[in-house]
Amino acid sequence: MARRKKIYEGKAKILYEGPEPGTIVQYFKDDATAFNAEKKAVIEGKGVLNNRLSEFFMTGLGQIGVPTHFIKRLNMREQLVRSVEIIPLEVIVRNYAAGSMSKRLGIEEGTQLPRPIVEYCYKDDALGDPLVTEEHIAAFGWASQQDMDDILSLALRVNDFLSGVMLAVGIRLVDFKIEVGRVYEGDFMRLLLADEISPDSCRLWDIETGQKLDKDVFRRDLGNLADAYTEVARRLGVLPKTNTAVKKPTLIN
Ligand code: UDP
């Protein structure tokens, strides 16, 4: 059997050429990294959970009319997605202060923001993904004004959807990061939500206890990351409601 072609290997995912032109297979690894890959570990089961969770969020967003790259989940660790030209920006939406914003502006973590705040970082690992303004984005031609209008409304729609879905299961969506890509259809170009939506790229706090259920568990050594992600998946009904702690043979579909 011919070996499939690897297109790109990132910190948490591998991209392979898909079965048809314009498609890509996204493989979710168990690798966890933080602080621009200074801290690394393999968290058994993380890839399987993120594959399922990203499928769940992307499918739900598709159902409310948000265009995404997601086509279908292929197996435990892989999903088929549309190939896009990634816009080199990390689009961050914040509802509560945390992480780099708390540090930068001296706002206590957990403070509710007056309204959702959208930030843009330039995707460049060597530079540590620096915060940029729309001036930089326009001047360097990373995205047009029309793209930026579309990205802003896309980001806010994703925020409303995810905030509601999380609230329904007792989880506060503190902040999250998305990536947006372009697809060309004839003479037209459209933007799609790309990459992944998972607890790797969100901050999720239990509403009652404040317990962190996201990658901060790994970043800040707060416990077992796979347990936190399993809890998110269980609450959302993404995992079967059986006791997943008991390891027994299961049929994979
Ligand atoms: N984030 C991400 N990838 C990055 C940077 C940030 O997924 O390369 C997510 C992060 O998980 C959090 C949000 O974006 O949900 C805001 O992150 P922040 O700027 O506070 O940076 P951090 O504190 O993670 O360094």
Side-chain angles (χ1 to χ4, degrees), residues 90 92 94 98-101 129 175-177 200-203 219:
E90 306 219 320
I92 294 174
R94 301 178 183 273
S100 70
M101 176 191 243
D129 301 336
D175 58 30
F176 64 94
K177 183 263 307 185
D200 268 5
S201 51
C202 300
R203 281 198 170 90
R219 291 190 191 100

Side-chain angles (χ1 to χ4, degrees), residues 102-119:
S102 287
K103 277 204 206 90
R104 199 182 332 118
L105 301 178
I107 307 174
E108 197 187 336
E109 285 211 311
T111 307
Q112 186 167 19
L113 301 171
R115 62 182 174 90
I117 295 178
V118 182
E119 296 176 345

Side-chain angles (χ1 to χ4, degrees), residues 55-208:
E55 172 194 19
F56 176 79
F57 296 128
M58 293 283 182
T59 305
L61 284 160
Q63 282 167 352
I64 64 158
V66 173
T68 82
H69 72 157
F70 182 81
I71 301 172
K72 64 175 180 180
R73 186 170 59 80
L74 296 171
N75 55 47
M76 297 271 281
R77 287 185 181 273
E78 295 177 330
Q79 47 183 247
L80 187 68
V81 299
R82 288 189 66 175
S83 166
V84 302
E85 185 184 291
I86 287 282
I87 294 177
L89 297 174
E90 306 219 320
V91 180
I92 294 174
V93 184
R94 301 178 183 273
N95 299 304
Y96 294 80
S100 70
M101 176 191 243
S102 287
K103 277 204 206 90
R104 199 182 332 118
L105 301 178
I107 307 174
E108 197 187 336
E109 285 211 311
T111 307
Q112 186 167 19
L113 301 171
R115 62 182 174 90
I117 295 178
V118 182
E119 296 176 345
Y120 305 99
C121 294
Y122 179 53
K123 254 173 83 71
D124 187 319
D125 281 343
L127 299 175
D129 301 336
L131 187 69
V132 292
T133 68
E134 291 194 50
E135 277 290 289
H136 299 103
I137 296 167
F140 295 119
W142 296 325
S144 68
Q145 190 53 54
Q146 179 66 57
D147 292 338
M148 292 314 291
D149 293 348
D150 292 348
I151 289 171
L152 180 64
S153 67
L154 185 85
L156 293 175
R157 287 196 74 193
V158 173
N159 186 42
D160 284 347
F161 175 82
L162 286 183
S163 294
V165 166
M166 291 301 180
L167 187 64
V169 296
I171 295 175
R172 168 165 300 151
L173 178 65
V174 173
D175 58 30
F176 64 94
K177 183 263 307 185
I178 54 169
E179 295 185 22
V180 179
R182 302 175 202 279
V183 284
Y184 297 91
E185 288 161 356
D187 287 344
F188 296 94
M189 185 277 289
R190 289 201 301 141
L191 298 183
L192 302 182
L193 178 63
D195 192 48
E196 69 176 298
I197 299 183
S198 75
D200 268 5
S201 51
C202 300
R203 281 198 170 90
L204 305 170
W205 298 357
D206 181 88
I207 287 180
E208 295 292 324

Side-chain angles (χ1 to χ4, degrees), residues 188-247:
F188 296 94
M189 185 277 289
R190 289 201 301 141
L191 298 183
L192 302 182
L193 178 63
D195 192 48
E196 69 176 298
I197 299 183
S198 75
D200 268 5
S201 51
C202 300
R203 281 198 170 90
L204 305 170
W205 298 357
D206 181 88
I207 287 180
E208 295 292 324
T209 65
Q211 188 193 355
K212 293 182 175 35
L213 298 169
D214 56 58
K215 210 166 90 178
D216 275 348
V217 171
F218 170 70
R219 291 190 191 100
R220 304 178 189 188
D221 296 317
L222 300 175
N224 184 309
L225 191 71
D227 287 351
Y229 288 20
T230 302
E231 176 62 13
V232 175
R234 190 191 60 76
R235 288 197 201 183
L236 292 168
V238 170
L239 287 182
K241 290 203 171 45
T242 52
N243 185 354
T244 50
V246 180
K247 291 239 162 71

